[in-house]
């Protein structure tokens, strides 16, 4: 499928009749052609034919697709080596903030993920056709992405010509640009929306080694499912991976594709992560409502069938003893499933007797099928953050009781983050099992800025100072990490680093209770759907930086820019990390090893949530407050500085503000409409 609905060299576009162009656009349109869209295309064609008649070269594309975002740019105009992105608002007299951010997002997307755009100037332009004349200032960022330019249909050609004269060069590699590889790294929300619409993971993911690993893993699991279905077998796959490697993406892809092409399997994506389930469901529902016109209530019902909370699935299976309708179950963050004690306690509070762990019960439910079934367990390393989370060992103990099941294991299952074994020979199961490297995702694709982030965080938490220094020096130029003791400075970092709709917010440990004195109250819960999905005008959104998300809110999700607020519950001293809980009016030691592990993993989660960069805020404390003694924070701050993390200073913002050039278009050059329509004759 073409990346655009219509594309042509400029001379061909000028020669093509308006009806011919409109017909091609209508033919390639994926949706029912509405009158408003038809009229908008006609207006765009007329405007562009009129203003481009004086230009002797170029290439034009209508409705150019951006797969990662699931959207299309009205027009891409390639001229003198520059990529002009033209987003029309036909009939509009205003320039709305969300429209400006949208066209900015298109430019940033191409800069980050489109190979032929990496070294080119990219000029996002918002054209409100009926807006009045106004002075135009053009600003260029250091990465050659212009800040969005707002103009009307009459001064559009002046802007294009002015920029082309200043920054253009002789270049006619139009087809190379059109056919260039697009290597996106979608957020999990964007990925879920694209997969739910029917895209394949290969269409929305990168094509480098990390993504190839992801594709091979997906293919392998699909082969296991197909083999189980064909030969009447029951199978379970254990997929491991580093934080941000795409485990959830792989699971969503398998579930969505099998729902679409193998409807009778009723594949379902299960998660015990309540915030993740809520955010993904709401994101899919809002998307369905916006693009398909589905009533929001119906859209929410549909998305809740595809993505379910594991606890609801469990409760339904308790009530109904028959085999479930689902033949394929993908269980995200399976290491967080409850052990027997926690499951029994929780169910007893609800008046139900269940003396099994969640892993055992889930396997037993799928074992009710007489013919075949398949479970896919997505296992994150070092991700257990709550009491009662069983980890992988509970799954092994449970599957051992179902000897007819075939078990497919990652060859990294023995690593310290998972089973802590010395060799594969130590894995003892009484059922048929096998190992494969295809069930391990080794490369983080969350942060397209740096694939070394998870390694850096691991070494930081393990107090491997030399290794931390080494990795930090490698990643700091592509992935900025700063340190500050000034919360306002941290907030400024988030706001000024972000462009377009890049999302930012503040996160902190759920036990960092004394951050409350800094204005960050971790005990006040966030409304996750609004915090992650709502816009800059919603006080409940992350953009307002009033509500702080904890490790429980944000695990499995991500933002572009993050401030990690470091609490007094996890402190660095000369003897290593100290682990604390705040009870009543004072801090108490955490002595149990598994509770310490949860604490450490909480900070692992918090430090791996940012896609593009982060700032770590360590409070100064207060000697007059015994719960916030400066020594509780100074050790952590000094340790982070010792591994090279730079202090956030004014120089950072000066670098952000430094433009290559500023072009001002004064009022006297904004000619009358008749003159501009003739320009540059």
């Amino acid at each position: 499928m073409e990346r655009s609905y219509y594309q042509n060299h400029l001379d061909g576009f000028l020669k093509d009749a308006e009806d011919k162009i409109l017909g091609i656009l209508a033919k390639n349109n994926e949706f029912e052609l509405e009158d408003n869209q038809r009229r908008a295309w006609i207006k765009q064609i007329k405007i562009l034919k009129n203003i481009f008649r004086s230009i002797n070269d170029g290439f034009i594309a209508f409705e150019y697709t951006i797969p990662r975002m699931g959207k299309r740019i009205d027009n891409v105009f390639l001229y003198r080596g520059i990529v002009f992105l033209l987003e029309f608002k036909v009939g509009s007299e205003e320039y709305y903030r969300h429209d400006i951010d949208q066209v900015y997002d298109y430019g940033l997307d191409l800069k980050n993920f489109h190979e032929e755009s990496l070294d080119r100037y990219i000029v996002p332009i918002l054209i409100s056709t009926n807006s009045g004349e106004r002075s135009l200032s053009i600003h260029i960022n250091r990465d050659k992405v212009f800040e969005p330019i707002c103009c009307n249909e009459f001064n559009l050609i002046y802007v294009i010509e002015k920029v082309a004269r200043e920054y253009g060069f002789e270049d006619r590699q139009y087809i190379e640009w059109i056919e260039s590889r697009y290597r996106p790294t979608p957020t999990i929300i964007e990925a879920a929306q694209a997969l739910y619409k029917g895209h394949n993971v290969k269409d929305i993911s990168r094509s480098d080694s990390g993504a190839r690993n992801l594709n091979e893993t997906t293919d392998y699991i699909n082969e296991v499912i197909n083999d189980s279905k064909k030969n009447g077998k029951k199978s379970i796959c254990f997929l491991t991976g580093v934080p941000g490697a795409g485990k959830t993406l792989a699971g969503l892809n398998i579930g969505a594709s099998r729902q679409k092409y193998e409807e009778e399997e009723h594949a379902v994506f299960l998660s015990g992560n309540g915030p993740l389930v809520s955010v993904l469901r709401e994101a899919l529902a809002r998307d369905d409502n916006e693009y398909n016109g589905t009533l929001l209530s119906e859209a929410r019902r549909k998305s809740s069938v595809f993505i379910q909370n594991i606890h609801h699935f469990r409760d339904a299976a308790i009530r109904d003893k028959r085999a479930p309708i689902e033949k394929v179950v993908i269980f995200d963050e399976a290491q967080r499933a409850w052990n027997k004690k926690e499951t029994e306690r929780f169910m007893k509070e609800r008046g139900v007797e269940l003396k099994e762990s969640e892993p055992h019960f889930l396997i037993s439910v799928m074992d009710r099928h007489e013919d075949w079934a398949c479970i896919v367990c997505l296992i994150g390393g070092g991700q257990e953050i709550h009491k009662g989370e069983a980890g992988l060992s509970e799954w092994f103990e449970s599957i051992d009781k179902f000897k007819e099941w075939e078990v497919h294991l990652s060859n990294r299952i023995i690593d310290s983050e998972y089973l802590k074994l010395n060799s594969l020979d130590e894995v003892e199961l009484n059922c048929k099992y096998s190992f494969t490297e295809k069930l391990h995702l080794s490369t983080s694709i969350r942060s397209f800025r740096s694939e070394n982030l998870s390694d850096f965080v691991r070494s930081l938490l393990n107090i491997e100072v030399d290794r931390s220094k080494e990795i930090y020096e490698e990643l700091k130029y592509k992935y900025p990490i700063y340190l500050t003791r000034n919360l306002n400075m941290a907030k400024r970092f988030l706001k000024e680093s972000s462009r377009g709709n890049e999302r930012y917010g503040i996160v902190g440990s759920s036990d960092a209770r004394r951050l409350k004195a800094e204005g960050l109250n971790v005990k006040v819960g966030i409304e996750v759907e609004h915090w992650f999905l709502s816009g800059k005008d919603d006080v409940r959104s992350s953009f307002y930086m009033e509500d702080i998300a904890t490790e429980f809110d944000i695990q499995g999700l991500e933002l572009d820019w993050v401030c990690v607020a470091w609490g007094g519950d996890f402190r660095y001293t000369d003897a290593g990390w100290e682990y604390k809980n705040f009870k009543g009016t004072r801090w108490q030691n955490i002595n149990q090893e598994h509770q310490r592990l949860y604490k450490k993993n909480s900070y692992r989660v918090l430090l791996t949530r940012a896609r593009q960069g982060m700032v770590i805020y360590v409070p100064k404390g207060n000697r007059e407050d015994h719960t916030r003694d400066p020594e509780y924070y100074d050790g952590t701050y000094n340790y982070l500085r010792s591994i090279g993390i730079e202090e956030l200073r004014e120089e950072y913002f000066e670098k952000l503000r430094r433009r290559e050039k500023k072009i001002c278009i004064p009022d006297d050059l904004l000619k009358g409409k008749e003159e501009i329509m003739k320009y540059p004759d």
Side-chain angles (χ1 to χ4, degrees), residues 168 187 217 341 434 440 494 509 519 552 564 616 625 645:
T187 67
T217 296
K341 181 179 178 180
S434 60
H440 180 72
L494 297 184
S509 165
F552 300 114
V564 178
I616 300 172
D625 182 348
I645 301 180

Side-chain angles (χ1 to χ4, degrees), residues 97 101 498-504 534-539 541 543-544:
R97 182 73 253 173
D101 285 343
S498 169
R499 293 182 287 176
N501 283 309
E502 291 175 349
R503 186 168 284 273
Y504 53 83
S534 295
K536 296 176 182 177
D537 58 346
D538 193 324
V539 297
S541 76
F543 290 119
Y544 262 74

